[in-house]
Amino acid sequence: MSTIAGFDFGTSNCAFGVITDNQPTLVNLPQHGHYLPSTLYAPQPEVISGWLYQQLKSQGLEQPYQQARPNLGASLNALREAKLDGYDDQLAFGVDALDKYLVDPADCYYVRSPKSFLGSSGITPRQQQMFEDICASTMWHLRHQAEQTGLAPIKKVVIGRPVNFQGLDSHRSNTQATEVLTRAAKFAGFDQVEFLYEPIAAGLSYQQQLQQQQNVLVVDIGGGTSDISMLQMAAGSDLSERHDEWVLGYSGERIGGNDFDIALNFNCLMPTLGSRLKDGKGRPIPNKPFIDAASVNNISDQTRFYRNDTRAMLSELQRQPELTTLMRILTLQQQHMTFQLSACAERAKIALSELEQAKVALDFLEPELATVVDRANFTEAAQQLLKRMSVLIDDVIAQSSCKPDVLFLTGGSANAPFIKDYLWQRYQIPMVSADNFGSVTSGLTLWADKIFNKSGC
């Protein structure tokens, strides 16, 4: 006996859903609740593979992973050496991962939103293996947590995926990302893995509350992507395995909650670190280090920010009397605190959903340092992202050759007032919402039940 599940391996949060009493329900994970924040902590990157191998071996699942990692011995040695050197030899996930990272950001390995990196261009085979290990470790932890609730082993899953993982070379990016996720899921013990577009999954969830046939424009603003679809749905209609029977159009791009965090970070927080300063001759200092520091979802940008030549440039500038404030961004770099600053931006973004202003403590960079961000400035900073989102929506409406009856807004950023206001002013379509965080998981669960259980697979 095994369990069938919907699996939202999200940019911001992860969740499992199962069918209970003919309805999709989210699994309440013992250590995390319904949602596991998508973060991982390791004392050193080299120990991840060894830790994963040990967990898989404890359940007799290690052989496929062992065959795929011929140099596994080095990681196991690193794991043993870390323990001998007094380091923790365990990985941590979710809030626990963030807590451990904050103890000493410069002396650990911390990943936030690994899904954001899966479609990146130019990654090496070693980096791709690292992404597989990070995803597989997170998936194994989630699966272990879910099964601690009394579920039979989870063997068949439908995993949500964005329409496009990246904006550039989307076909290559999508292939790469889904292959990484598939291999990671198989390593973690899932026997059958299928994928479903996240906006379609959200639409399936919305169908549960439909009273009549409607053209539903689904706008799913997740942590990493915005995914749009137009679905023709009716109350109680059977789910067809042929998407083209009810999907009229779809599109997506890498514009998500993380990008709004970055916009707030760069435009509202980085000035406190010196981004708008001018040198003694009245020349603006380079913006690139501040953009790179804020872009925590971009491997190339983060690598460039932490390079020695970036440090040398900032140190040279900081010697000028007009530019002493740059010591703050130097501290950010030297202490590897870009994720900590990004977390501040995210908290401020959430606070601005209800408040006109939010105070942001930055005392980890300098004693008593703080700044205030306001909703108007953040909304202005987000305009380019909103315009890109509207291009996606316009494209889907054009594909569908019909007007939507309703706009179903979902995803982690769906509560933001400036997003709702922008969509209403531009489209004037009746807007509805449901569980912003759980709608995709519920739809994935319905689809998993359809293709694995009712279809007899």
Side-chain angles (χ1 to χ4, degrees), residues 43 121 195 298 421:
S121 60
F195 291 93
N298 187 299
D421 291 345

Side-chain angles (χ1 to χ4, degrees), residues 1 10 25 73 108 111 134 138 160 285 296 408:
M1 185 69 180
T25 58
C108 70
V111 181
I134 290 168
T138 304
I285 65 171
V296 293
F408 176 47

Side-chain angles (χ1 to χ4, degrees), residues 235-251:
S237 61
D238 186 32
L239 301 178
S240 167
E241 292 186 42
R242 288 176 50 83
H243 291 173
D244 55 2
E245 291 185 1
W246 42 276
V247 179
L248 305 180
Y250 60 88
S251 187

